[in-house]
Amino acid sequence: MTVPDEPDSSGTSAADATAPGTVQARFGRFWRGWEEQLGQEHPAPDFTPGSGDFRISARAVTAHDAVIADVRSESLTGTHTNSLHQGDEQVVMHVIRHNAWRFARPREGDHTVPAGHFMLQRNGPPTFEEARRTTATVLLLPASPLSHLIRDRLITGPTSSAEVRLLLGHLNLVDQTAQDLTGTGALAARNALLALVEGVLRQQADGTEPHLGPALAQAAKDLADSRLADPDLSPSMLARELSVSVRTLHRAFAAVEESVAGYIRRRRLEQARLELLTPVGRPSVAELAAHWQFADSSHFIRAFKSRYGRTPAEFARTATRPGGSPAQ
């Protein structure tokens, strides 16, 4: 891939190769769509479809010379190479979300990467790939800052490690903000991606680095969202799961202007509010307080009224009353 010296933009694009047609026709449509939208700053990876099939779609987000693609493969076979005309090499990371992606290199055998795992490589030796009914996040980065850590290896591992969670948190953050980033912001986002991938490779992440604060906060938010009903959910539990100190976690949240405990309480109240909108089988105030880990009904009522301006009972009556004002 030819990487520009100073790309100054970020954004999103999409390419699709699932419509009827021959393998070569679908492949051509996909690559033309990629190149028309991403341009010369982000050329498509050098891929040759095999004799099997090529039915994939992708939505890509760019930040400086980094590309984050949400890839959905109905059926893909082919060989990924790094030709001389592409100039600088890439680091390519696949994070598998559903099903599996198979990679094979001469003399190295097969590596089948299932959901919940990642594969990371530097372009070099041709790599045969096969993915059927697979969804994955694919990250493309310039190789030069990371080549010495990867060499010619295919590196695989689980996405459950603290280092990968930090990386995925930052990927989510970039995906949400890409269209609004300035050139300086896009460069900072890309530099954080490089630092976090290096953390994955070294099996450690430096949570004290200021530019990693938003990524750490996002990773903690993602983890908290998955455990909102857990009675053990707390700043100390999140810090422990992410392998950082509680102080580092609090500092990361300060950078996004919200406390850890405040985020947990806000998300729990939002979930309780949604349950109050249920027309049938609505839980009682006491049940909501217990499920979302409030000390008792009184604490829950006070917190709910402070946030929404009404008690849970008043909110529920307004939400279900004919002609009532929309719940905020």
Side-chain angles (χ1 to χ4, degrees), residues 110-177:
D110 288 0
H111 296 261
T112 298
V113 183
H117 290 72
F118 72 88
M119 190 286 298
L120 197 152
Q121 66 173 320
R122 178 178 62 84
N123 280 5
T127 303
F128 174 80
E129 300 182 12
E130 181 179 30
R132 300 184 187 280
R133 299 183 182 88
T134 303
T135 59
T137 299
V138 179
L139 172 63
L140 308 176
L141 287 169
S144 53
L146 303 168
S147 292
H148 65 290
L149 295 171
I150 303 173
R151 299 187 295 276
D152 288 329
R153 297 179 296 162
L154 287 175
I155 299 170
T156 63
T159 57
S160 58
S161 72
E163 293 78 18
V164 180
R165 285 180 183 175
L166 283 178
L167 173 60
L168 295 181
H170 187 58
L171 288 174
N172 289 338
L173 196 61
V174 175
D175 183 67
Q176 295 165 18
T177 60

Side-chain angles (χ1 to χ4, degrees), residues 112-293:
T112 298
V113 183
H117 290 72
F118 72 88
M119 190 286 298
L120 197 152
Q121 66 173 320
R122 178 178 62 84
N123 280 5
T127 303
F128 174 80
E129 300 182 12
E130 181 179 30
R132 300 184 187 280
R133 299 183 182 88
T134 303
T135 59
T137 299
V138 179
L139 172 63
L140 308 176
L141 287 169
S144 53
L146 303 168
S147 292
H148 65 290
L149 295 171
I150 303 173
R151 299 187 295 276
D152 288 329
R153 297 179 296 162
L154 287 175
I155 299 170
T156 63
T159 57
S160 58
S161 72
E163 293 78 18
V164 180
R165 285 180 183 175
L166 283 178
L167 173 60
L168 295 181
H170 187 58
L171 288 174
N172 289 338
L173 196 61
V174 175
D175 183 67
Q176 295 165 18
T177 60
Q179 289 186 308
D180 299 321
L181 290 176
T182 62
T184 300
L187 176 59
R190 173 266 208 182
N191 287 344
L193 284 171
L194 285 170
L196 289 165
V197 171
E198 181 174 351
V200 171
L201 292 168
R202 295 184 182 278
Q203 289 299 297
Q204 60 184 13
D206 186 358
T208 65
E209 286 294 323
H211 64 281
L212 299 187
L216 175 57
Q218 186 64 46
K221 289 177 179 181
D222 292 343
L223 181 57
D225 285 347
S226 70
R227 302 189 183 182
L228 285 175
D230 188 337
D232 295 326
L233 178 60
S234 66
S236 59
M237 185 271 272
L238 293 173
R240 184 172 60 253
E241 289 284 333
L242 295 168
S243 298
V244 298
S245 68
V246 175
R247 182 180 179 184
T248 294
L249 184 63
H250 282 308
R251 189 161 57 243
F253 269 76
V256 296
E257 300 181 348
E258 185 172 27
S259 70
V260 186
Y263 178 80
I264 294 171
R265 171 168 289 210
R266 174 171 67 82
R267 292 291 293 122
R268 283 173 165 170
L269 286 170
E270 288 172 355
Q271 294 303 306
R273 171 185 169 279
L274 289 176
E275 292 193 58
L276 285 169
L277 296 174
T278 305
V280 179
R282 179 186 299 146
S284 67
V285 169
E287 289 171 333
L288 287 171
H291 181 74
W292 296 113
Q293 305 306 316

Side-chain angles (χ1 to χ4, degrees), residues 5-188:
D5 293 331
E6 292 292 337
D8 58 1
S9 63
S10 58
T12 62
S13 62
D16 190 287
T18 58
T22 65
V23 172
Q24 291 299 328
R26 286 193 296 271
F27 175 78
R29 281 197 300 271
F30 182 87
W31 252 247
R32 284 193 300 274
W34 178 297
E35 291 177 351
E36 287 171 1
Q37 295 178 70
L38 294 179
Q40 294 302 312
E41 292 184 350
H42 305 91
D46 198 350
F47 187 87
T48 303
S51 58
D53 204 353
F54 188 88
R55 297 177 186 270
I56 70 171
S57 60
R59 185 184 68 86
V61 169
T62 62
H64 200 72
D65 54 1
V67 180
I68 305 165
D70 176 18
V71 178
R72 300 175 183 273
S73 167
E74 293 182 18
S75 179
L76 175 148
T77 59
T79 302
H80 187 183
T81 61
N82 188 53
S83 301
L84 293 176
H85 75 269
Q86 287 188 287
D88 291 344
E89 292 180 336
Q90 293 173 292
V91 166
V92 184
M93 183 176 188
H94 291 68
V95 180
I96 311 304
R97 304 198 308 271
H98 176 72
N99 219 341
W101 202 304
R102 185 167 72 90
F103 304 88
R105 281 182 172 177
R107 299 185 299 279
E108 292 186 37
D110 288 0
H111 296 261
T112 298
V113 183
H117 290 72
F118 72 88
M119 190 286 298
L120 197 152
Q121 66 173 320
R122 178 178 62 84
N123 280 5
T127 303
F128 174 80
E129 300 182 12
E130 181 179 30
R132 300 184 187 280
R133 299 183 182 88
T134 303
T135 59
T137 299
V138 179
L139 172 63
L140 308 176
L141 287 169
S144 53
L146 303 168
S147 292
H148 65 290
L149 295 171
I150 303 173
R151 299 187 295 276
D152 288 329
R153 297 179 296 162
L154 287 175
I155 299 170
T156 63
T159 57
S160 58
S161 72
E163 293 78 18
V164 180
R165 285 180 183 175
L166 283 178
L167 173 60
L168 295 181
H170 187 58
L171 288 174
N172 289 338
L173 196 61
V174 175
D175 183 67
Q176 295 165 18
T177 60
Q179 289 186 308
D180 299 321
L181 290 176
T182 62
T184 300
L187 176 59

